[in-house]
């Protein structure tokens, strides 16, 4: 059931999730589901499927809101689009005004505090952070050594102290994730970090089987890649048939041309014929 609130744009709206409902679900693993969306079509599909939460690029919040007014939208603040404190605040308030309910950032903790001090719901990003993967050297799980597990635990604590309400935990070892989330008030969003989280998160492209590569942590429930290949093959076949018909003078035929009475042509020829 959707809750009635006011958006950050001061518009009365109904949301399938709110910061309050997410927090009240603490300890209820899998209470919510989150997917990616950057178009109105993807957002509409998510809502129709019963998905409560969407994450999207900040620049695409308006498109997402055109597809769904009900889902909880978290806007990702890009690294390059907003760099200074003022730019980050402007980008965050812009996304919220466009219809976002929260923002997510992987920036330093004082940025989290800056946003939180304005009562902006902030989600952090811990564990494996793809943009920062050069520091760990490859795509891999996080928390497989005692030292790394302890470091991650303290990062969760510092993120919470900075004012974040939630954290996307990516590729964290599942038993470690269970222990950390039980000791944190942060709403946990698991992306490949096991079942012990309030929110389970997968990319829409992975869920729908859209692409050749599929991460180990993802499960495909569809096969859009097969359909895309079928569309590509059908496109080539249609174009080839068109070219063959042109070469064989089979296109256009009488049904694909505009005709007039022959008397019109005779009259035209008389008018344009050169004088004797």
């Amino acid at each position: 059931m959707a809750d009635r609130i006011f958006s950050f744009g001061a518009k009365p709206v109904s949301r399938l999730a709110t910061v309050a409902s997410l927090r009240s679900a603490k300890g209820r693993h899998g209470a919510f589901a989150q997917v990616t969306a950057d178009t109105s079509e993807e957002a509409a599909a998510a809502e129709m499927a019963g998905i409560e939460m969407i994450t999207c690029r900040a620049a695409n919040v308006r498109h997402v809101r055109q597809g769904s007014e009900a889902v909880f939208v978290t806007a990702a603040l890009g690294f390059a689009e907003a760099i200074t404190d003022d730019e980050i605040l402007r980008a965050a308030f812009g996304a919220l005004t466009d219809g976002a309910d929260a923002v997510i950032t992987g920036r330093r903790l004082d940025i989290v505090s800056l946003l939180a001090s304005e009562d902006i719901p902030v989600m952090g990003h811990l564990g494996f952070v793809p943009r920062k993967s050069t520091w760990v050297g490859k795509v891999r799980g996080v928390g497989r050594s005692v030292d790394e597990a302890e470091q991650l635990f303290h990062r969760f604590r510092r993120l919470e102290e900075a004012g974040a309400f939630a954290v996307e935990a990516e590729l964290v070892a599942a038993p470690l994730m269970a222990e950390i989330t039980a000791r944190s008030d942060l709403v946990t969003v698991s992306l490949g970090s096991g079942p012990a989280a309030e929110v389970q998160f997968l990319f829409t492209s992975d869920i729908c089987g859209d692409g050749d590569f599929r991460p180990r942590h993802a499960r495909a429930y569809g096969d859009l890649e097969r359909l895309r290949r079928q569309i590509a093959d059908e496109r080539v076949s249609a174009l080839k048939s068109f070219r063959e018909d042109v070469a064989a003078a089979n296109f256009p035929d009488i049904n694909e041309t505009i005709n007039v009475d022959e008397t019109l042509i005779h009259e035209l020829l008389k008018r344009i014929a050169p004088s004797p």
Side-chain angles (χ1 to χ4, degrees):
M1 180 179 292
D3 292 316
R4 293 285 294 172
I5 61 169
F6 282 88
S7 70
F8 279 90
K11 177 183 176 182
V13 295
S14 294
R15 293 286 195 261
L16 296 171
T18 64
V19 171
S21 67
L22 288 165
R23 280 180 158 171
S24 67
K26 186 65 189 174
R28 288 199 295 119
H29 300 162
F32 297 91
Q34 176 178 279
V35 298
T36 54
D38 279 302
T39 67
S40 59
E41 291 82 3
E42 289 173 336
E47 181 182 334
M48 285 188 285
I51 303 293
E52 298 93 349
M53 300 172 65
I54 280 174
T55 184
C56 70
R57 297 178 182 87
N60 293 329
V61 171
R62 287 188 181 183
H63 298 301
V64 167
R65 275 291 171 232
Q66 288 171 359
S68 173
E69 281 290 332
V71 295
F72 184 97
V73 173
T74 301
L77 303 178
F79 277 85
E81 293 86 349
I83 299 173
T84 67
D85 289 5
D86 286 346
E87 289 172 345
I88 290 167
L89 276 176
R90 188 174 294 108
F93 279 120
L96 293 169
T97 302
D98 285 343
D101 301 289
V103 300
I104 180 171
T105 180
R107 300 290 295 275
R108 63 190 188 275
L109 291 176
D110 58 341
I111 292 296
V112 173
S113 295
L114 173 68
L115 295 166
S117 69
E118 295 284 355
D119 285 334
I120 295 173
V122 187
M123 184 183 296
H125 190 176
L126 294 177
F128 179 78
V129 181
R131 291 176 182 269
K132 301 178 180 180
S133 57
T134 188
W135 290 100
V136 296
K138 61 180 178 180
V139 178
R140 66 169 178 82
V142 177
R144 290 181 168 178
S145 71
V146 175
D147 287 344
E148 192 171 69
E150 183 181 11
Q151 290 173 7
L152 186 61
F153 171 76
H154 289 300
R155 286 179 178 174
F156 267 73
R157 177 164 291 175
R158 289 195 296 271
L159 181 64
E160 184 176 347
E161 291 171 349
F165 86 97
V167 58
E168 178 188 321
E170 185 166 353
L171 302 187
V172 175
L176 174 61
M177 183 67 188
E179 294 298 330
I180 291 178
T181 193
R183 290 165 172 77
S184 173
D185 288 333
L186 289 169
V187 174
T188 49
V189 180
S190 172
L191 179 59
S193 298
E198 287 73 49
V199 184
Q200 284 297 324
F201 174 31
L202 279 181
F203 278 52
T204 292
S205 56
D206 293 331
I207 296 170
C208 296
D210 191 2
D212 294 326
F213 175 74
R214 191 159 302 130
R216 177 172 178 252
H217 65 267
R219 183 185 299 177
Y221 293 84
D223 194 355
L224 284 183
E225 181 62 24
R226 176 183 59 81
L227 295 177
R228 291 188 190 282
R229 288 194 300 268
Q230 183 178 337
I231 289 170
D233 291 343
E234 189 72 13
R235 181 183 295 114
V236 172
S237 176
L239 293 170
K240 183 179 179 181
S241 295
F242 166 67
R243 186 65 190 91
E244 290 173 349
D245 273 358
V246 170
N250 290 328
F251 179 87
D253 64 20
I254 191 171
N255 296 314
E256 294 144 349
T257 54
I258 299 171
N259 293 297
V260 294
D261 192 276
E262 284 294 325
T263 57
L264 183 148
I265 301 301
H266 291 312
E267 182 63 28
L268 173 65
L269 292 176
K270 285 194 298 182
R271 293 187 182 188
I272 64 174
S275 301

